[in-house]
Amino acid sequence: MVSKRNFFSITIMMFILLFLFQFSMVIRDRQNTYDVNSNFTTRQKDGKNVWKNKQIDPVAVRTTDRNYVLFVGDSLSDMATAVSRWCIYAKWDMAQCRNLEDYQENDKALPGMLILESEKYALGDNLEKLEKLEQKGVIIVFGCLENPKNIEKNQELMDFLGIYKVVSEKTKLTGVKLFEGLLLGGEVVYETPKEKEEKERQDLQLEIPWYQVGSGTKTYMVGLLDHSKQKTQVENEDLPTILWRNGIKGGSVFCIVGDYMKDSTALGLLNGMITEASEYYIYPVVNAQNLSMINFPAFADENDEEMMKLYSQSVTGMTRDIMWPSLVSIVEKGKLKMTCFMQPQADYEDGIEPDTKDMIFYLKQMKEQEAEVGLSLEYKNAGSLREKLDQDADFFQKSDSSYKYGAAFAEERDLDTITGLMNTELLKNVSTLVCEYTEKEPVVSYCTDSVTLQSVTSDGMNYSYSDDIRMRSIQSSLAYTNVMLNMHDIFWPQQKTDRWQIMQKHFSSNILTYWKNFTGFDSMTLSESNTRIRTFLNLDFSESRTENEITLETSEKGSWFLLRTHGEEIAEIEGGTEKEIEDGTYLIQAQDTTVKIQIKTSGLHYDR
């Protein structure tokens, strides 16, 4: 039995706890400036200042003031496009010619790198020309070894490529192994698993020529075999080689089997090759990790019958009570920031109108999660994109919110139309657009002088092995990613796998597995990323080294760089900051236009 005195004390304590709890909630609610986009920056026409590389005439080149790439092959090919985009990001000039005969060699203006679209450009007298260039320090890259017959019957070419033997013109692989060093993220094996669900990830090129490389080579990627189908045991060093370097007398000839140089995967491979062929390599990056939630949240109870059947709730209820808590948990575990691209409604012709009642709830919740709200320009049915924008503008006006939207998601096919509508009421503050992954667009770029484009680099739901290699390559080249989760199929399911329980499981597993090696880069919202992309695209830089001091000159304060070494460590840095991302790789922020990096001196060397 409780005495009156104890009962009174307990009551007072409970009252105090209730008061403190309620008071803290009131204070937090008042301090939550949910209606302000803290990441928003005013749209600027700084695209006029974007850095542009020179297109060099390979016949008339006499002098150059910076490194340039010579691409030999079809200038309209996918590989030529990928190389051209890399040159812009790495701040290299570029020369192109259809045949190596068109290039007039000049020792005072040699290319830093020469990329051949295939081995057919190295046949005949061209091989002798390549041998001379390689001896003079030019990095030679065979973008794709297409025809083993061209190679097998030419011993001089085999020696140049570092190939000991052509075992077969075609062999079936069970998977691929990527060794650490060329790309960031460490070693990884992409072997076809037995589980049906996981088998869908395997989309790599698994039927390739079988090349065995000789001594003096370094292997970066090999194919894996089904040993049960081999007559004799194949040693690891004899596995089909996919990517390697032949270091002829200290030179560098890189060879690739497959289509890895024909999309954005080429970006990181080229940086990795230069790193491998050099004492050190420093280059500009964006340093931004993004997570884009497309068509979330929703405000119209569309497809209500199906939603009630699957979740016993309407779209708006399921979004708020089921999906949002799950997303918050995933993001917190993955240490990422969200940008949620709101979709007031999907079908503008079904008579079901969106309701603004949850707008403040989401703005408050996202503010607490340091997330950003963007605009989704996707729709299922509408008279036109312009009509959708007008109706969405009415919705946001009714919500009585002054939040400024700096980012918008659009399908790639609509980009040209949307850039013509950027001064409409709804889009007047948008300074960056996001679109789904497509090689039609660069990873990051300006789509107008005042609006940047940030392409999605990965689909967090449908993630394959080729996606992972490409992601690692883009991270290695730009320290950038933009993972997308599009909610459209959840609200308009077509198959069982479109249910949120299944999609959430896949998304969570992918995010917490494949991106864990890149948490050293900065997580941010799309508007924050937009600011860094503008700096990255506009900057110019130069670097030099005297003994143990690297001097970096950049045109943009606050720009970011990666310094990749071969075991060398930073002793101190002046004019910037440094952070070790992984062994031998440092993330540098230039706080001034001149950065001096002191390298530790003891016991360091680079063995070419």
Side-chain angles (χ1 to χ4, degrees):
M1 187 173 181
V2 181
S3 66
K4 290 183 179 180
R5 183 174 181 178
N6 288 339
F7 177 78
F8 180 75
S9 299
I10 292 171
T11 303
I12 292 296
M13 290 176 63
M14 291 179 65
F15 175 78
I16 292 172
L17 289 173
L18 178 64
F19 173 78
L20 290 174
F21 176 76
Q22 293 288 354
F23 182 74
S24 64
M25 292 295 289
V26 170
I27 292 296
R28 188 175 71 169
D29 190 60
R30 287 187 176 182
Q31 290 180 342
N32 187 337
T33 54
Y34 62 86
D35 220 20
V36 176
N37 185 352
S38 57
N39 300 313
F40 177 80
T41 54
T42 304
R43 187 191 295 176
Q44 298 179 358
K45 292 187 176 181
D46 51 7
K48 295 179 179 179
N49 303 320
V50 66
W51 183 88
K52 295 179 181 178
N53 60 350
K54 294 179 182 178
Q55 296 300 309
I56 295 175
D57 184 351
V59 177
V61 58
R62 293 292 177 267
T63 59
T64 59
D65 55 0
R66 69 169 66 243
N67 272 328
Y68 75 94
V69 167
L70 172 61
F71 179 80
V72 181
D74 182 1
S75 61
L76 300 178
S77 66
D78 293 338
M79 191 182 298
T81 299
V83 172
S84 177
R85 289 173 180 172
W86 176 83
C87 286
I88 292 172
Y89 295 152
K91 316 298 178 179
W92 282 46
D93 292 334
M94 185 173 182
Q96 300 185 62
C97 58
R98 190 67 183 84
N99 298 287
L100 195 56
E101 294 92 333
D102 296 336
Y103 170 64
Q104 301 299 315
E105 183 181 344
N106 183 340
D107 286 351
K108 294 182 179 180
L110 292 173
M113 178 184 287
L114 191 156
I115 301 173
L116 299 103
E117 191 176 7
S118 78
E119 80 289 334
K120 67 183 180 182
Y121 297 99
L123 301 178
D125 295 337
N126 289 334
L127 181 56
E128 183 180 350
K129 197 170 190 177
L130 289 173
E131 289 172 340
K132 290 180 179 179
L133 290 170
E134 182 272 334
Q135 291 169 8
K136 294 175 181 177
V138 178
I139 300 171
I140 310 294
V141 178
F142 287 81
C144 181
L145 298 183
E146 294 178 340
N147 191 344
K149 291 181 180 179
N150 286 338
I151 298 169
E152 190 173 21
K153 64 185 180 183
N154 190 330
Q155 187 59 50
E156 188 179 0
L157 179 58
M158 286 182 65
D159 293 341
F160 189 69
L161 298 175
I163 295 174
Y164 165 69
K165 182 180 180 182
V166 180
V167 178
S168 64
E169 295 181 5
K170 190 177 293 185
T171 190
K172 186 73 174 178
L173 307 177
T174 62
V176 166
K177 182 175 183 178
L178 175 67
F179 297 99
E180 66 177 344
L182 189 71
L183 300 179
L184 301 183
E187 182 175 288
V188 62
V189 175
Y190 301 105
E191 192 154 23
T192 305
K194 295 180 180 179
E195 296 83 358
K196 180 181 177 183
E197 213 172 71
E198 289 293 310
K199 277 186 177 181
E200 297 177 359
R201 295 188 191 277
Q202 183 57 274
D203 64 341
L204 297 174
Q205 194 173 341
L206 295 180
E207 200 168 80
I208 64 169
W210 184 345
Y211 299 112
Q212 284 183 359
V213 296
S215 60
T217 61
K218 182 176 181 179
T219 299
Y220 304 102
M221 188 186 295
V222 296
L224 303 176
L225 300 173
D226 184 348
H227 292 292
S228 65
K229 295 182 179 180
Q230 302 300 316
K231 294 180 180 179
T232 58
Q233 181 70 23
V234 179
E235 300 297 330
N236 288 336
E237 60 267 21
D238 294 329
L239 288 170
T241 318
I242 297 175
L243 204 163
W244 69 93
R245 172 195 172 205
N246 187 26
I248 306 172
K249 297 179 181 179
S252 294
V253 178
F254 291 90
C255 306
I256 303 166
V257 179
D259 296 335
Y260 297 98
M261 284 285 291
K262 296 180 181 180
D263 62 16
S264 296
T265 308
L267 301 177
L269 294 181
L270 291 173
N271 279 327
M273 290 173 190
I274 297 175
T275 300
E276 287 293 295
S278 308
E279 183 182 9
Y280 70 96
Y281 186 42
I282 188 167
Y283 55 93
V285 295
V286 177
N287 186 23
Q289 308 290 285
N290 301 287
L291 188 56
S292 296
M293 304 297 183
I294 312 301
N295 300 322
F296 181 89
F299 295 90
D301 286 324
E302 301 169 306
N303 202 19
D304 204 39
E305 184 177 343
E306 184 70 16
M307 292 295 100
M308 292 298 294
K309 177 182 175 182
L310 294 175
Y311 306 102
S312 300
Q313 289 199 61
S314 62
V315 168
T316 55
M318 191 270 288
T319 303
R320 181 187 61 245
D321 300 333
I322 298 176
M323 294 177 67
W324 175 247
S326 298
L327 290 176
V328 170
S329 176
I330 294 170
V331 168
E332 289 180 346
K333 289 179 181 177
K335 299 178 181 179
L336 295 168
K337 284 187 180 182
M338 288 184 286
T339 300
C340 296
F341 294 90
M342 287 185 173
Q343 185 183 54
Q345 58 184 319
D347 192 337
Y348 291 77
E349 298 177 348
D350 62 2
I352 301 174
E353 297 300 317
D355 193 330
T356 63
K357 62 182 175 63
D358 286 332
M359 174 65 83
I360 293 178
F361 166 80
Y362 282 115
L363 289 177
K364 287 182 177 181
Q365 290 288 310
M366 291 181 191
K367 189 71 172 183
E368 289 185 5
Q369 292 298 319
E370 296 184 305
E372 181 181 11
V373 185
L375 303 169
S376 172
L377 306 184
E378 271 195 327
Y379 58 90
K380 184 177 177 64
N381 289 308
S384 67
L385 179 59
R386 183 60 185 259
E387 289 182 24
K388 171 201 160 45
L389 293 177
D390 290 342
Q391 291 192 50
D392 285 357
D394 290 340
F395 167 81
F396 287 111
Q397 187 175 12
K398 290 176 184 177
S399 70
D400 195 27
S401 168
S402 59
Y403 193 94
K404 291 184 178 181
Y405 301 92
F409 176 85
E411 295 182 67
E412 191 274 335
R413 66 186 181 188
D414 294 329
L415 287 177
D416 289 340
T417 302
I418 289 169
T419 53
L421 298 171
M422 293 306 294
N423 291 324
T424 57
E425 181 62 28
L426 189 62
L427 302 181
K428 65 181 181 181
N429 293 316
V430 170
S431 59
T432 189
L433 292 173
V434 177
C435 74
E436 75 278 15
Y437 169 74
T438 167
E439 283 297 326
K440 292 181 181 179
E441 302 293 341
V443 177
V444 294
S445 61
Y446 278 97
C447 55
T448 72
D449 282 344
S450 57
V451 179
T452 61
L453 176 65
Q454 302 188 54
S455 296
V456 165
T457 58
S458 304
D459 185 335
M461 177 55 55
N462 304 303
Y463 196 67
S464 68
Y465 290 157
S466 65
D467 293 332
D468 192 64
I469 293 179
R470 186 180 66 244
M471 181 273 288
R472 288 167 175 262
S473 189
I474 294 174
Q475 293 275 32
S476 300
S477 177
L478 303 176
Y480 174 87
T481 195
N482 187 1
V483 189
M484 173 185 78
L485 179 60
N486 196 326
M487 310 296 188
H488 178 272
D489 289 343
I490 297 171
F491 303 140
W492 303 89
Q494 300 297 315
Q495 50 194 352
K496 288 185 178 180
T497 54
D498 293 336
R499 296 182 182 180
W500 172 243
Q501 294 91 330
I502 297 174
M503 295 186 75
Q504 177 219 353
K505 179 182 177 182
H506 287 183
F507 181 63
S508 175
S509 175
N510 290 341
I511 286 293
L512 301 179
T513 300
Y514 294 103
W515 279 267
K516 65 181 180 181
N517 291 326
F518 302 98
T519 55
F521 298 133
D522 292 346
S523 296
M524 54 187 52
T525 66
L526 269 297
S527 286
E528 291 177 294
S529 179
N530 165 56
T531 300
R532 292 196 176 181
I533 284 170
R534 291 170 187 265
T535 299
F536 168 75
L537 292 174
N538 291 347
L539 75 85
D540 192 6
F541 82 103
S542 63
E543 59 85 16
S544 60
R545 179 169 182 169
T546 304
E547 295 181 349
N548 295 311
E549 182 177 87
I550 299 173
T551 301
L552 171 67
E553 300 282 352
T554 176
S555 62
E556 301 286 336
K557 290 182 180 180
S559 50
W560 295 86
F561 296 82
L562 278 182
L563 170 63
R564 299 176 67 178
T565 70
H566 298 271
E568 291 187 308
E569 298 178 9
I570 293 179
E572 60 178 299
I573 187 169
E574 178 186 335
T577 62
E578 55 87 10
K579 176 183 180 181
E580 189 171 22
I581 298 299
E582 59 182 52
D583 186 33
T585 301
Y586 296 89
L587 181 63
I588 308 293
Q589 184 184 25
Q591 296 175 326
D592 203 345
T593 55
T594 300
V595 180
K596 293 187 180 295
I597 304 168
Q598 296 290 333
I599 302 297
K600 290 183 180 179
T601 59
S602 58
L604 299 175
H605 70 282
Y606 174 59
D607 184 9
R608 288 171 58 99

